[in-house]
Amino acid sequence: MSVASQDNAASVGRVGRTFVYLTLLLFALFYLLPFFIMLVNSLKPLGEITGGNMIALPQDWTIAPWLSAWSTAQIGVEPTGLKPYFWNSIRMVVPAVVICTMIGALNGYVLTKWRFRGDTIVFGLMLFSCFIPFQIVLIPMARILGILEISGTTAGLVLVHVVYGIGFATLYYRNYYAAFPTELVRAAQIDGAGFFQIFYRILLPSSGPITVVCVIWLFTNIWNDFLFGASFASGDAAPMTVALNNLVNSSTGVREYNVHFAGAILAALPTLLVYIVAGRFFVRGLMAGSVKG
Amino acid sequence: MGFLDINNVTKSYGAVEVLHKVDINVEEGEFLVLVGPSGCGKSTLLNMIAGLEGITSGEISIKDRVMNGVHPSKRNIAMVFQSYALYPNMSVGKNITFGLEMHGTPKEEREKALKDVASLLQIDHLLDRKPGQLSGGQRQRVAMGRALVRDPDVFLFDEPLSNLDAKLRVDMRTEIKKLHQNLKTTVVYVTHDQIEAMTLSTRIAVMYDGYVQQLGTPKEIYDTPENVFVATFMGSPAMNVMPATVEMIEGAPHAKISDSEGNHVTLAFAQDNLADWAGKEILLGIRPEAITDPEAADRDSNRIEKLANRVGVTEPSGADTFVTMTLGGKDIIARMRADTTVAAGEMFDFAVNMEKAVAFDPKTEARIKP
């Protein structure tokens, strides 16, 4: 294998390699351009943007737009900035991700190591939930939240996201645990470990990679959700995405593009951070179980 | 009643019965090996003893206590798995004491038990490592340590050596035997390797197709196989089985076989009651080591028969030379001394030890008992 690939590398030659790197560089720049524009313009006074050149670096560097977006910008009728909504999102995402991951892991454990009659059907139905479009459940969900008296609250949003997230979390953990040797579970049974002891002591400690995948996936999806946030929690309980929309839409005359850019980056920052911190485990976890050894 | 009793145990999955009325009594300190080809039900039976699989009908009891429906952890058994099943997230020491911890043994006792077992198996220096950092042989030792530390009534081994390379397998085999000799524990051991079965066991149960074909000491199994399956499964190379006709010559039963030229040769049986089969077809079974050159023939045997036949192929293996010839229309293997002078294609006078020959009923394939 290695000999063959060296041969290939040699035969591509210097010109070919330069071409490859140039192309890659070009694409990288292309993908980075929007982010660059956002960043640059969020650090300019408004006058420089309306004055024309969006791509130029700021002549007058300022973090005022960031401060404004965070704490004083007009969101709807209140000049609160995005701060309270940022914490709304955190209060929504963290419990939802934790609950989903725990239930998903437990589901995966039961569906692979404590098989029962009809378990594949149960799993199939759970998978089905991954593919139901959000719009379809809006009205029934609104009704249920109403009955539970948590409509318009962060708790309501947590419930909605947990319900949607369990399908994916179960899928991840089931496939991961399917490759987990059943002999280990049997050995633990003989050793006298019970249902939950086997789960906590044997399976969970070996679930690092898939947990990272699951958490990144759920965190990103739930943080970025707009539809459920806008439908079930507008007003004080609105999550970051909805607040960002309101920030952009509620103008007091002048459109403060620099503040909007800063707000958009703030809204994207947590998911970005999660990727940077845990991203290298992401691919590793996705591959786990698919290839043996 | 024995120490471990398996009484009329059957196992069905839906309508399919995979184990049929298995009946084995194991005495205390015995080393019982369940041997058979894949799918014969030997692992299923072991899992039923362990409590990992339910019993469809019949009864399994250990120390006169019926175990049907008793949780695996409450049977006072320990099991060594084929993949060793070491917990990857725990250190070797933790792996070994996990069972004790789950059974609520105090920490000091656990530490002491761990120390004893570790020094017995010479794994003291590995206790802080993770299973992933161990070699195959070391993992095997840890797996045995985990079983030993519990001081169980019965040890269950599920093909514990099949993941090791050939040399290590032989070493570990000896070590398991030593361990059993020292500790005198009761062992049920599953394998598909008939040499492991022969070398380790005090008794063997040969299984095939969900039936126990024969239960007996290694010598009984080897010398007096109950049927053609047992005869050909045990032993390497396998027992030669060829069609023959019983013919009475001077009042004594002989086996009439066609040789490589198509001529009939006769070999006198040592088994007198075969006179009842005069004129009928039988299957004649002769182990390779019972066909030798005349100089190497067993001097204690009262019935060495001469057999002139053409040599087909010779295969020197170092310790022995295997000689293949055609007899009764089958390829027959003889096991000769390493420095025998047999040459391929030539006629040779073989010596057949007919005291070791067995005869089978061609219809039922069961042995015709003397």
Side-chain angles (χ1 to χ4, degrees):
Chain A
M1 270 309 270
S2 61
V3 174
S5 61
Q6 268 174 5
D7 273 0
N8 285 343
S11 67
V12 169
R14 189 164 299 192
V15 180
R17 215 173 317 163
T18 313
F19 176 74
V20 167
Y21 282 128
L22 273 179
T23 315
L24 287 176
L25 203 68
L26 203 70
F27 273 103
L29 283 177
F30 183 71
Y31 288 127
L32 280 173
L33 198 60
F35 184 68
F36 172 77
I37 290 178
M38 280 173 72
L39 197 63
V40 161
N41 287 303
S42 72
L43 294 166
K44 283 178 196 170
L46 189 58
E48 283 186 36
I49 302 175
T50 46
N53 202 346
M54 279 185 84
I55 296 184
L57 290 173
Q59 290 161 342
D60 192 6
W61 295 82
T62 169
I63 57 162
W66 285 75
L67 295 176
S68 164
W70 180 246
S71 52
T72 60
Q74 195 78 20
I75 311 286
V77 289
E78 303 283 342
T80 56
L82 290 169
K83 190 166 86 180
Y85 304 99
F86 182 87
W87 295 117
N88 276 351
S89 268
I90 295 283
R91 273 197 299 273
M92 165 186 76
V93 167
V94 172
V97 168
V98 169
I99 294 170
C100 263
T101 308
M102 277 179 1
I103 296 179
L106 204 57
N107 280 348
Y109 170 52
V110 171
L111 287 171
T112 53
K113 303 303 173 203
W114 298 85
R115 313 263 321 246
F116 50 91
R117 191 180 288 271
D119 56 356
T120 46
I121 296 173
V122 171
F123 178 57
L125 290 174
M126 288 190 141
L127 263 194
F128 201 61
S129 79
C130 302
F131 303 110
I132 298 176
F134 285 5
Q135 295 85 335
I136 290 180
V137 300
L138 281 181
I139 290 167
M141 189 60 89
R143 178 96 183 94
I144 286 173
L145 291 177
I147 291 169
L148 295 174
E149 294 180 354
I150 48 174
S151 55
T153 66
T154 304
L157 271 187
V158 169
L159 177 72
V160 175
H161 286 299
V162 165
V163 168
Y164 250 102
I166 283 177
F168 268 109
T170 303
L171 169 69
Y172 284 138
Y173 278 98
R174 196 206 84 108
N175 288 354
Y176 188 75
Y177 289 152
F180 192 87
T182 303
E183 280 195 345
L184 282 175
V185 176
R186 297 187 145 193
Q189 272 181 287
I190 290 177
D191 271 344
F195 178 85
F196 282 107
Q197 277 170 324
I198 295 175
F199 182 55
Y200 288 127
R201 300 287 301 270
I202 314 290
L203 268 86
L204 269 193
S206 309
S207 308
I210 202 65
T211 304
V212 169
V213 169
C214 193
V215 166
I216 290 183
W217 173 269
L218 290 172
F219 190 97
T220 315
N221 269 351
I222 298 174
W223 184 276
N224 287 340
D225 166 69
F226 179 76
L227 183 65
F228 286 147
S231 311
F232 301 133
S234 48
D236 281 348
M240 191 73 168
T241 43
V242 176
L244 180 66
N245 176 62
N246 293 346
L247 167 74
V248 175
N249 282 341
S250 45
S251 63
T252 49
V254 198
R255 282 196 167 263
E256 296 182 294
Y257 290 112
N258 51 356
V259 176
H260 298 170
F261 280 129
I265 296 176
L266 278 174
L269 218 50
T271 51
L272 213 59
L273 274 178
V274 167
Y275 265 114
I276 290 166
V277 172
R280 67 201 168 94
F281 298 106
F282 190 71
V283 175
R284 216 183 293 170
L286 275 185
M287 298 295 291
S290 57
V291 184
K292 213 182 163 195
Chain B
M1 289 290 263
F3 189 75
L4 162 67
D5 287 318
I6 303 166
N7 291 326
N8 271 322
V9 164
T10 63
K11 175 75 184 173
S12 310
Y13 294 108
V16 188
E17 195 172 273
V18 294
L19 270 183
H20 320 278
K21 297 223 166 192
V22 174
D23 228 343
I24 302 173
N25 298 318
V26 185
E27 297 300 326
E28 182 159 15
E30 239 191 312
F31 199 121
L32 175 77
V33 172
L34 306 174
V35 67
S38 318
C40 71
K42 55 190 191 299
S43 288
T44 308
L45 183 57
L46 193 76
N47 286 338
M48 285 159 82
I49 299 172
L52 297 170
E53 298 215 31
I55 299 163
T56 308
S57 75
E59 212 175 78
I60 290 178
S61 55
I62 298 172
K63 277 183 157 175
D64 296 335
R65 196 173 131 228
V66 177
M67 287 297 168
N68 296 33
V70 176
H71 190 268
S73 66
K74 306 216 164 72
R75 297 185 178 208
N76 201 17
I77 47 144
M79 190 153 170
V80 176
F81 293 86
Q82 181 174 357
S83 65
Y84 318 133
L86 300 178
Y87 310 126
N89 53 303
M90 297 184 202
S91 68
V92 166
K94 272 268 174 210
N95 257 288
I96 294 176
T97 53
F98 184 71
L100 294 177
E101 189 191 332
M102 289 295 118
H103 281 84
T105 312
K107 195 160 195 302
E108 308 84 68
E109 271 180 57
R110 293 205 306 253
E111 296 293 325
K112 194 185 165 303
L114 173 63
K115 248 169 98 185
D116 291 349
V117 166
S119 65
L120 178 70
L121 294 168
Q122 295 156 20
I123 49 174
D124 313 71
H125 57 296
L126 302 174
L127 294 182
D128 293 327
R129 294 208 202 156
K130 291 278 170 69
Q133 300 164 307
L134 303 181
S135 69
Q138 289 170 333
R139 283 181 208 184
Q140 171 74 57
R141 278 165 200 277
V142 176
M144 295 208 312
R146 193 169 64 179
L148 283 169
V149 79
R150 299 263 313 278
D151 192 21
D153 291 332
V154 181
F155 279 97
L156 306 173
F157 287 86
D158 189 5
E159 309 218 12
L161 301 182
S162 52
N163 279 3
L164 300 176
D165 62 62
K167 188 178 174 322
L168 200 54
R169 196 178 309 165
V170 176
D171 294 346
M172 288 308 292
R173 198 171 75 197
T174 315
E175 214 149 308
I176 291 178
K177 181 127 192 173
K178 258 192 223 157
L179 215 55
H180 177 249
Q181 274 173 3
N182 293 337
L183 302 174
K184 306 221 167 16
T185 44
T186 312
V187 177
V188 180
Y189 185 108
V190 162
T191 180
H192 61 264
D193 181 345
Q194 47 90 19
I195 296 179
E196 262 172 46
M198 291 294 293
T199 50
L200 285 170
S201 66
T202 58
R203 269 201 306 165
I204 300 177
V206 183
M207 298 185 63
Y208 180 60
D209 212 12
Y211 290 96
V212 174
Q213 303 285 334
Q214 186 172 3
L215 177 66
T217 63
K219 190 168 171 50
E220 284 166 4
I221 299 271
Y222 194 75
D223 288 343
T224 55
E226 286 284 328
N227 54 38
V228 175
F229 174 78
V230 177
T232 50
F233 187 76
M234 302 301 288
S236 172
M239 183 186 258
N240 299 302
V241 178
M242 65 206 102
T245 314
V246 178
E247 196 173 80
M248 298 303 283
I249 299 174
E250 295 168 1
H254 284 61
K256 193 172 85 175
I257 324 160
S258 58
D259 68 8
S260 54
E261 259 76 56
N263 302 323
H264 287 303
V265 292
T266 55
L267 299 168
F269 277 112
Q271 188 181 336
D272 293 330
N273 69 334
L274 284 168
D276 305 343
W277 286 74
K280 290 185 202 158
E281 287 267 325
I282 57 152
L283 289 171
L284 174 63
I286 306 174
R287 293 246 173 237
E289 61 271 20
I291 310 175
T292 55
D293 36 12
E295 294 79 19
D298 187 354
R299 282 175 219 295
D300 297 333
S301 172
N302 296 317
R303 194 64 58 94
I304 302 289
E305 291 282 299
K306 283 252 161 58
L307 171 72
N309 203 7
R310 194 170 294 283
V311 173
V313 180
T314 64
E315 297 166 287
S317 74
D320 306 289
T321 299
F322 295 104
V323 176
T324 309
M325 62 182 130
T326 307
L327 204 59
K330 303 258 178 177
D331 277 343
I332 300 301
I333 296 174
R335 181 183 234 145
M336 315 283 240
R337 290 173 301 156
D339 45 4
T340 185
T341 54
V342 179
E346 287 176 8
M347 290 301 286
F348 187 79
D349 280 330
F350 294 94
V352 183
N353 182 358
M354 287 300 281
E355 269 195 343
K356 294 279 188 183
V358 285
F360 300 99
D361 183 334
K363 282 200 195 73
T364 61
E365 298 208 330
R367 187 165 65 93
I368 302 165
K369 290 180 184 159

